[in-house]
Amino acid sequence: MAFNDFLQNRKGEPVFLTGLQCHNSSSGTEMIDRTISAVRLYGGNLIEAPVYWCDIEPEKDVYDMSLVRSLADKAKEAGLYLIPLWFGASKNGLFTYAPEYIKRNPEVYRLARNFAGIPVESLSPHCRATLERDKKAFARVMEFLAEYDKDGTVIAVQVENEVGLVHTDRDYSEEAEYEYRQPVPENLWNVVLEDSGREVSCPAGQNRRHSWADIFGRHANEAFCAWKHASYIQEMTEAGKEKFQVPYLMNVSIEINECEAPALCYVSGGPVSRVMDIWKITAPGITLFGPDIYLPAERDYRKACRAYARPDNPLFIPETLNGGVGAAMNILIAAAEYGAIGICCFGAESGIAGGKLLPEAREAAMSMNILSSLAPLLIKYRGTGRVHAVTQAEFSQWQYIKTEEYHIAARFLSNDPKPQHYFGSRINLNAPENGSCMTCRGRCLIIDCGQGEFYLAGAGVCFSFLRRPEIEDRIPYAHLTSCLSGQLNFLSIEEGHFDGNTWVCEYKRNGDEANYQLYVHEGSVIRVRLNTDIKWE
């Protein structure tokens, strides 16, 4: 399957993925039905669900695909895409999903050891026996899906889950120590890790048989651990691709917290941004690495997005908070400012009760619905600078956006000191309750299609547009204050939705519903066409 910037369906069409991941133990239970209900309420098109090695291979060389079949059937019946998550040898660094025959034979399927030689709760990536069993079971699942999933329900597969080691920065077992003493693989000689203490990995004229410490300095142990895990995962991916041709993804236990030290703040050896270049070189079979971002603060969320949104790694967020104002704001920021190609919230079942959204989930669900409603345009305009996020920071009353042609002023309703100052109808006539969202934290996506055409989706905010003077304009004040510059000079204002890539107008606004201030209402997408054929003479 081709991969450009977006994950694609079997027809080769790009898909903006929005969805939810179920809780760790929900696969194969009635909880999946609650997950699917939650995905619908969040406006999503994707379910992420784990596939457990211990269920797939309950006894050595005895395989049971009923769990995989059930997940594929459930997703297909619901009209959703599915990303199976392989919970194999490493789930958040732990081996709890390994079959009993693995757990009962530590002398064969070895655990990693810490600096003191004490076993930790992670299987060693240096153990060939473990890799062969993990790889065999994974390949059997992929073989089954290749035969069973003819309709393209499975859009990608996640290999392991937040892979790495816990309670140690690398494996210090005898086998690992032997490998650590060997020269660094040649294809890693020119990798430079930030803050490693090594600005140039292989100085000219020196012996190129460098040790890990020579090249990677203070990050040598993590670099070595990352290389070994990447080597392990590459073999897993190759085995999968021989059976099933879909994109293979990995999620990441990110390092954006506290002192950002492996094993102290996150599992060591995973594809965190610090060592992603090592992973990219060693595990080229992985299509992309997606950060799991559970950071409500905008500052921290942005830092994570910057770290993982790379030209060679489009931003896909496989796990984020399923509720809260912080998540609701950050989801839009990730899509607009960091070009996210998909976002999923974790813990689907925790967001609903009795078939309805819980209050704490409503804000995030609203933002996910915003993404889904504008998905065709997010795909079309990603990376063009034409997608803007309006998010109401604490105490904020307004936000200003400057496009090539317009000044756009956004005013937030929940923090408006003079609510009667702005003209225009706040009533959402299409809502069953005939009301508008005036108390929620304001947020909106604005997509500038050029030539005065904009699409808006959000809640709790109103907008005014002002045509910018031309560069050579010598009387800009006169033109800015002209009635021709304001949004009353519109061509049309519509509410509607996208059917595929086609815009469908449901309702035309005018008069009180359009004049002076344009209010975005929860659940609606607005298409604004302003008149650019202005003649000042």
Side-chain angles (χ1 to χ4, degrees), residues 128-143:
R128 190 76 208 177
T130 301
L131 171 56
E132 292 298 335
R133 299 308 308 181
D134 195 5
K135 184 169 64 172
K136 183 176 181 180
F138 182 67
R140 290 293 290 266
V141 173
M142 297 304 102
E143 183 177 34

Side-chain angles (χ1 to χ4, degrees), residues 262 280 498:
K280 286 284 185 181
F498 281 95

Side-chain angles (χ1 to χ4, degrees), residues 368-521:
M368 291 294 283
N369 273 281
I370 290 170
L371 296 184
S372 298
S373 67
L374 293 174
L377 299 180
L378 292 175
I379 291 172
K380 182 177 181 179
Y381 290 103
R382 175 179 182 263
T384 64
R386 291 183 174 271
V387 183
H388 306 278
V390 172
T391 55
Q392 183 178 1
E394 189 175 12
F395 312 120
S396 177
Q397 298 176 7
W398 58 275
Q399 183 174 331
Y400 165 69
I401 294 172
K402 181 169 65 176
T403 73
E404 186 175 344
E405 297 175 313
Y406 284 88
H407 299 290
I408 305 175
R411 294 180 174 88
F412 301 116
L413 306 185
S414 65
N415 217 16
D416 188 347
K418 296 181 180 179
Q420 299 306 316
H421 179 70
Y422 308 119
F423 296 102
S425 175
R426 299 177 180 221
I427 299 174
N428 183 3
L429 296 177
N430 279 335
E433 69 280 6
N434 199 31
S436 65
C437 184
M438 295 177 58
T439 59
C440 71
R441 188 74 70 88
R443 89 293 302 265
C444 186
L445 283 185
I446 304 175
I447 299 180
D448 176 9
C449 300
Q451 297 300 307
E453 183 179 18
F454 297 86
Y455 287 84
L456 302 88
V461 60
C462 64
F463 292 90
S464 59
F465 293 78
L466 188 64
R467 180 79 183 273
R468 296 178 62 194
E470 302 294 336
I471 294 175
E472 64 275 9
D473 196 332
R474 295 298 177 262
I475 51 171
Y477 174 77
H479 292 159
L480 282 170
T481 55
S482 166
C483 61
L484 294 179
S485 294
Q487 68 195 43
L488 282 178
N489 192 31
F490 62 77
L491 298 175
S492 66
I493 298 174
E494 305 169 348
E495 292 183 19
H497 68 276
F498 281 95
D499 182 2
N501 293 319
T502 302
W503 171 251
V504 178
C505 175
E506 300 169 346
Y507 173 70
K508 292 186 178 181
R509 291 190 191 180
N510 211 324
D512 290 344
E513 284 70 53
N515 295 346
Y516 300 105
Q517 298 290 323
L518 292 180
Y519 290 79
V520 293
H521 302 299

Side-chain angles (χ1 to χ4, degrees), residues 18-32:
T18 55
L20 293 165
Q21 183 176 142
C22 66
H23 281 288
N24 291 169
S25 301
S26 297
S27 287
T29 76
E30 68 280 358
M31 298 295 287
I32 287 295

